[in-house]
């Protein structure tokens, strides 16, 4: 067992004397128990994407057949990265930035992770704000998206496509496709007050701004004491959504058409497995779902005890996450099947992904149920809780990572820590305000689709290379054996050293080949917005080579580059009669520079006795093939033209 340090204390309050400075500061803290860590990881991994993203990807990419590439990606990409990051953080008890003491040149990976978490944290609370808006709007006898009699409804709003012509199913589908449903009208024209494009941002939506402010108040209140308060809240946020999901599934399964929805969800289309886009979607969903490579797993594991069985945790959490995604698909498609049955259309005509599922399709189905108010309140309360369970961990990742890096300031006192937390929440709220404008949805979609793609894939690939090749797998496996009492099995070595980076590289290549201009529905983003999306993607990616160059040049790399940029003594005119001024008399110097040591064949062009590139020239050149005390060539500094010495030094 390792000796306990001040960081091994479980509270996040009080002071502790720093072993080096003797000054009193805050303790970093630890989890109150093993269950707190597992529940936090489950809450961090299980987010809104499990409810609205996975079911849609499954139906879009071959139904039950999509589970094959999804589980393959889980086994060879998701779980290996999950275990690697947990082990990495737990061993050093440091956040995703400071943990790169293991190799300072790769510290940019830590900054990249925190930047990704920051970008996600900004827009994620906006979505939670939408959930709050719907939650409060559900507290009335008649749901506002259940009819078209509101003053803000557009002229082409329609509650039920069958009203147009009950005897013509083809016309019904046409009407449904060309008109706007009451729930869609509510979401686009009342909740978002959506403009016609990113070019027209419009003004702030004060309702959404207040809901966003409430979301940030909740985040700050829960995280005011760091993991001490977070570890207690997750007992509710990580478990209660499962009760609500189960209740919604039971209710959905009793509705007409539910079996059609489930059949549509699970029916495999094996031909889709030959499409590379399906595999790319599976890999992206694994990253998005497990929250890998965004710093949170490293940070959460850093609060564990040194000998915690992180291998067990790395198997439990991904399994729970996968089953939750699969379970959510039944919850969603039973209700979509009911909605398709009511409209007398195919499930494919009502299925949607992303916000369209959570805020358009599902609310419309809820409005058709008996006791719609009760089910709407339960559904959006569940969405709020699921959103917060991930958001708490995302924001704590940013706060604790920066606090680890500047602990002498930010952990000096509880006051400093609180001020920093307040400042960060306020700053993120202000950064998110543009997403509450009329054109905010376009900005949110731009950031969301950009951050969840290339940045996470590049971080995962380079993290594998940095840990298993730069640091070395043998060292890393020995570190794990110190914690767990045994080295990782051959499966983990195969994944970390070969399969995981190979699959990540392949996905990056395919995503690059399959790249399509960014669009939202039928709206294609203008060229300047496309460029903005690439800047957003390159921002976290650029931190990796940016820090590498900065650290290299700062720690002698600049001097080394200048030294290696000095011309060799043989540089100059080829003919002797042209070698004048500073080149005069340097022919012999050039001949020495190209000779090899007879014994070990070393290149002595820069290892000559007395040669100093910083001062230029030689104090006394000696080619020690003779042992007679005489200079082999008898060429000394005094024989060198002054202009050569002066000019060489300036270079």
């Amino acid at each position: 067992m390792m000796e306990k340090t001040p960081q091994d204390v479980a509270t996040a309050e009080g002071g502790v004397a720093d072993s080096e400075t003797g000054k009193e500061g805050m303790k970093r803290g630890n989890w109150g128990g093993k269950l707190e860590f597992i529940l936090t990881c489950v809450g961090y991994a299980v987010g809104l994407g499990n409810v609205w993203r996975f079911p849609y990807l499954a139906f879009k990419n071959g139904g039950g057949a999509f589970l094959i590439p999804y589980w393959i990606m889980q086994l060879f990409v998701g779980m290996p990265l999950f275990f690697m990051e947990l082990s990495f953080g737990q061993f050093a008890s440091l956040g995703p930035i400071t943990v790169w003491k293991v190799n300072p040149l790769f510290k940019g990976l830590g900054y990249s992770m925190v930047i990704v978490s920051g970008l996600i944290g900004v827009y994620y609370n906006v979505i939670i704000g939408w959930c709050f808006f719907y939650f409060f709007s559900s507290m009335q006898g008649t749901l506002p998206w259940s009819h078209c009699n509101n003053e803000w409804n557009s002229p082409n709003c329609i509650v039920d496509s069958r009203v147009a012509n009950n005897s013509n199913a083809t016309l019904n589908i046409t009407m449904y496709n060309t008109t706007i449903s009451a729930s869609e009208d509510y979401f686009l024209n009342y909740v978002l007050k959506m403009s016609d494009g990113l070019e027209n941002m419009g003004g702030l939506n004060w309702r959404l701004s207040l809901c966003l402010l409430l979301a940030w108040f909740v985040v700050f209140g829960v995280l005011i004491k760091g993991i001490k308060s977070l570890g207690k809240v997750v007992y509710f946020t990580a478990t209660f959504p499962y009760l609500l999901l189960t209740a919604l599934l039971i209710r959905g399964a009793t509705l007409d058409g539910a079996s059609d929805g489930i059949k549509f969800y699970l029916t495999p289309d094996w031909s889709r497995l030959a499409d590379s886009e399906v595999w790319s979607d599976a890999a992206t969903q694994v990253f998005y779902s497990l929250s890998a490579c965004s710093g949170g797993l490293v940070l959460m594991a850093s609060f564990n005890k040194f000998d915690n069985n992180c291998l067990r945790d790395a198997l439990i959490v991904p399994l729970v996450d996968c089953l939750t995604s699969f379970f959510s698909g039944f919850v969603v498609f039973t209700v979509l099947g009911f909605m398709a049955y009511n409209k007398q259309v195919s499930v494919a005509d009502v299925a949607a992904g992303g916000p369209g599922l959570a805020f358009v399709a599902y609310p419309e189905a809820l409005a058709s149920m008996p006791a719609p108010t009760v089910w709407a309140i339960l559904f959006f309360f569940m969405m709020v809780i699921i959103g917060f369970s991930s958001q708490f961990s995302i924001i704590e990742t940013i706060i604790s990572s920066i606090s680890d890096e500047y602990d002498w300031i930010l952990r000096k006192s509880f006051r400093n820590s609180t001020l920093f937390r307040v400042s960060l929440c306020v700053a993120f709220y202000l950064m998110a305000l543009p997403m509450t404008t009329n054109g905010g949805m376009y900005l949110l979609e731009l950031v969301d689709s950009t951050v969840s793609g290339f940045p996470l894939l590049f971080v995962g690939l380079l993290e594998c290379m940095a840990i298993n090749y730069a640091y070395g797998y043998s060292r890393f496996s020995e570190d794990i054996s110190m914690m767990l009492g045994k080295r990782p099995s051959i499966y983990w070595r195969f994944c970390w050293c070969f399969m995981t980076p190979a699959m990540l590289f392949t996905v990056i290549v395919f995503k690059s080949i399959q790249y399509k201009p960014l669009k939202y529905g039928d709206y294609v983003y203008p060229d300047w917005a496309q460029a903005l999306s690439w800047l957003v993607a390159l921002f976290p990616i650029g931190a990796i080579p940016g820090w590498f160059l900065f650290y290299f040049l700062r720690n002698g790399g600049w001097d080394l580059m200048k030294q290696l940029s000095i011309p060799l003594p043989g540089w100059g005119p080829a003919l002797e009669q042209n070698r004048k001024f500073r080149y005069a008399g340097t022919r012999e110097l050039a001949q020495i520079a190209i000779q090899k040591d007879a014994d070990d064949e070393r290149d002595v062009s820069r290892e000559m006795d007395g040669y100093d590139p910083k001062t230029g020239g030689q104090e006394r050149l000696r080619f020690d093939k003779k042992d007679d005390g005489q200079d082999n060539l008898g060429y000394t500094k005094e024989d060198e033209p002054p202009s050569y010495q002066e000019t060489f030094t300036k270079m």
Side-chain angles (χ1 to χ4, degrees):
M1 295 290 293
M2 295 186 63
E3 183 179 351
K4 287 189 175 183
T5 68
Q7 292 182 352
D8 292 326
V9 185
T11 90
E13 298 182 274
V16 61
D18 185 275
S19 58
E20 295 181 0
T21 64
K23 296 181 179 180
E24 188 174 292
M26 292 185 63
K27 303 163 187 174
R28 190 174 187 271
N30 286 97
W31 297 113
K34 295 180 179 179
L35 188 58
E36 285 187 10
F37 169 67
I38 294 177
L39 289 177
T40 303
C41 286
V42 169
Y44 182 47
V46 177
L48 295 174
N50 295 74
V51 177
W52 73 29
R53 184 180 174 92
F54 177 85
Y56 176 73
L57 287 177
F59 116 81
K60 170 190 168 186
N61 293 309
F66 179 70
L67 296 177
I68 295 177
Y70 182 72
W71 272 106
I72 289 176
M73 288 296 175
Q74 278 282 11
L75 288 173
F76 294 109
V77 177
M79 292 175 66
L81 286 175
F82 203 93
F83 181 34
M84 185 178 73
E85 292 197 343
L86 292 189
S87 304
F88 195 39
Q90 180 174 304
F91 180 79
S93 298
L94 295 171
I97 297 177
T98 316
V99 76
W100 288 100
K101 289 179 179 179
V102 67
N103 189 332
L105 282 172
F106 287 97
K107 194 174 184 179
L109 276 170
Y111 284 113
S112 182
M113 293 176 180
V114 174
I115 292 171
V116 168
S117 291
L119 292 172
I120 294 174
V122 168
Y123 76 77
Y124 209 78
N125 242 14
V126 175
I127 300 175
I128 296 175
W130 298 348
C131 295
F132 266 130
F133 191 99
Y134 271 81
F135 175 69
F136 295 133
S137 298
S138 301
M139 297 178 181
Q140 45 190 303
T142 302
L143 296 176
W145 58 83
S146 63
H147 59 86
C148 295
N149 300 325
N150 302 291
E151 59 181 13
W152 40 262
N153 281 125
S154 58
N156 60 338
C157 174
I158 189 169
V159 178
D160 193 339
S161 60
R162 292 173 298 173
V163 174
N165 190 334
N166 288 328
S167 63
N168 192 326
T170 304
L171 179 60
N172 292 342
I173 299 175
T174 304
M175 286 293 296
Y176 177 73
N177 288 336
T178 57
T179 58
I180 184 170
S181 67
S183 61
E184 187 177 6
D185 198 19
Y186 179 77
F187 180 57
L188 299 180
N189 296 326
Y190 183 71
V191 178
L192 300 181
K193 298 185 182 298
M194 197 168 176
S195 67
D196 56 358
L198 192 59
E199 305 91 333
N200 182 18
M201 292 296 291
L204 286 176
N205 185 328
W206 66 270
R207 296 182 182 90
L208 291 183
S209 299
L210 289 179
C211 289
L212 176 63
L213 183 62
L214 174 61
W216 279 112
F217 266 118
V218 174
V219 170
F220 172 73
V222 169
L223 298 182
I224 188 171
K225 294 183 180 180
I227 65 162
K228 181 185 178 183
S229 51
L230 175 60
K232 302 301 181 287
V233 172
V234 293
Y235 283 103
F236 174 74
T237 59
T239 57
F240 188 68
Y242 289 97
L243 297 178
L244 297 179
L245 281 172
T246 303
L248 288 169
L249 176 60
I250 294 173
R251 183 68 188 97
T254 62
L255 298 172
D256 293 331
S259 59
D260 294 333
I262 294 176
K263 187 183 301 183
F264 187 85
Y265 173 49
L266 295 179
T267 301
D269 180 3
W270 302 112
S271 63
R272 295 286 291 149
L273 295 180
D275 188 350
S276 60
E277 186 175 354
V278 174
W279 295 84
S280 177
D281 283 346
T284 303
Q285 175 59 19
V286 165
F287 272 88
Y288 192 90
S289 183
L290 289 180
S291 301
C293 303
S294 55
L297 299 179
V298 176
L299 180 84
M300 300 306 163
S302 71
F303 297 112
N304 278 333
K305 293 181 179 179
F306 183 78
D307 58 352
N308 174 66
N309 189 351
C310 55
L311 174 59
R312 174 203 59 203
D313 302 335
L315 297 177
I316 292 176
V317 177
L319 180 62
V320 171
D321 178 73
C322 288
L323 293 178
T324 302
S325 297
F326 188 60
F327 183 68
S328 299
F330 288 97
V331 176
V332 169
F333 275 89
T334 52
V335 175
L336 292 181
F338 165 70
M339 192 164 78
Y341 175 83
N342 277 348
K343 292 180 176 293
Q344 294 299 303
V345 297
S346 169
V347 179
D349 293 323
V350 297
L357 172 63
F359 300 108
V360 177
Y362 212 91
E364 183 177 353
L366 292 173
S368 304
M369 290 182 182
T373 299
V374 174
W375 293 108
I377 291 175
L378 289 177
F379 175 74
F380 288 108
F381 182 64
M382 178 195 71
M383 294 292 286
V384 168
I385 299 303
I386 289 178
F388 274 134
S389 67
S390 295
Q391 180 72 349
F392 293 152
S393 298
I394 291 170
I395 301 304
E396 184 59 30
T397 296
I398 302 165
I399 293 174
S400 292
S401 298
I402 299 175
S403 297
D404 283 348
E405 190 71 1
Y406 304 100
D407 58 347
W408 68 90
I409 299 175
L410 302 180
R411 289 203 177 105
K412 184 178 181 181
S413 64
F414 183 73
R415 174 177 173 273
N416 284 18
S417 176
T418 304
L419 286 176
F420 173 60
R421 291 172 183 271
V422 170
S423 301
L424 187 136
C425 289
V426 170
F428 275 32
Y429 171 71
L430 295 176
M431 291 170 62
L433 278 179
M435 297 182 184
T436 64
T437 61
N438 303 138
M441 181 63 178
Y442 300 103
L443 181 60
L444 187 149
E445 180 68 19
L446 183 149
V447 177
D448 178 34
S449 59
T450 302
V451 172
S452 60
F454 286 111
L456 292 177
L457 294 172
F458 271 102
V459 169
L461 174 62
L462 294 175
E463 187 181 24
C464 282
M465 304 300 289
I467 294 177
N468 296 289
Y469 287 95
Y471 180 57
Y473 172 79
S474 59
R475 292 177 180 173
F476 187 49
S477 63
E478 184 179 350
D479 295 342
I480 293 176
S481 70
M482 292 173 61
M483 296 186 294
L484 306 183
K486 59 181 180 180
R487 291 178 179 267
S489 66
I490 188 65
Y491 162 74
W492 300 109
R493 180 172 188 173
F494 172 70
C495 289
W496 290 339
C497 295
F498 173 70
M499 182 58 74
T500 302
M503 295 185 76
L504 290 175
F505 179 77
T506 303
V507 172
I508 291 173
V509 172
F510 275 109
K511 282 186 72 70
S512 301
I513 296 173
Q514 297 167 350
Y515 174 76
K516 298 176 182 178
L518 184 64
K519 58 186 299 186
Y520 177 71
D522 294 330
Y523 172 75
V524 179
Y525 284 76
D527 291 341
W528 64 268
Q530 303 283 350
L532 178 62
S533 70
W534 279 108
L535 289 177
V536 172
L538 291 175
F539 179 39
I541 296 175
I544 303 172
W547 174 266
F548 189 99
L549 290 175
F550 169 75
Y551 191 83
F552 173 74
L553 296 176
R554 183 184 177 188
N555 291 272
W558 182 251
D559 291 336
L560 178 62
M561 288 178 63
K562 289 194 298 183
Q563 177 177 329
L564 295 178
S565 299
I566 297 173
L568 293 172
W571 166 251
L575 299 178
E576 186 63 34
Q577 60 267 29
N578 295 328
R579 302 178 70 87
K580 302 177 181 179
F581 305 111
R582 62 190 178 99
Y583 297 106
T586 59
R587 176 64 68 189
E588 294 85 353
L589 193 63
Q591 293 175 353
I592 295 176
I594 62 173
Q595 294 190 50
K596 302 287 186 178
D597 184 271
D599 297 329
D600 56 14
E601 296 186 351
R602 284 184 303 127
D603 186 352
V604 296
S605 60
R606 289 194 178 274
E607 301 178 24
M608 297 169 292
D609 184 18
Y611 179 72
D612 185 357
K614 293 184 179 180
T615 60
Q618 288 69 33
E619 291 298 324
R620 186 172 184 85
L621 294 172
R622 181 181 297 276
F623 188 70
D624 294 325
K625 288 296 181 182
K626 295 183 178 181
D627 197 22
D628 55 2
Q630 299 292 327
D631 290 340
N632 192 29
L633 296 175
Y635 188 80
T636 65
K637 181 180 177 180
E638 289 72 16
D639 300 315
E640 179 183 84
S643 58
Y644 176 89
Q645 170 69 23
E646 294 168 2
T647 309
F648 202 93
T649 304
K650 292 178 182 179
M651 287 189 173

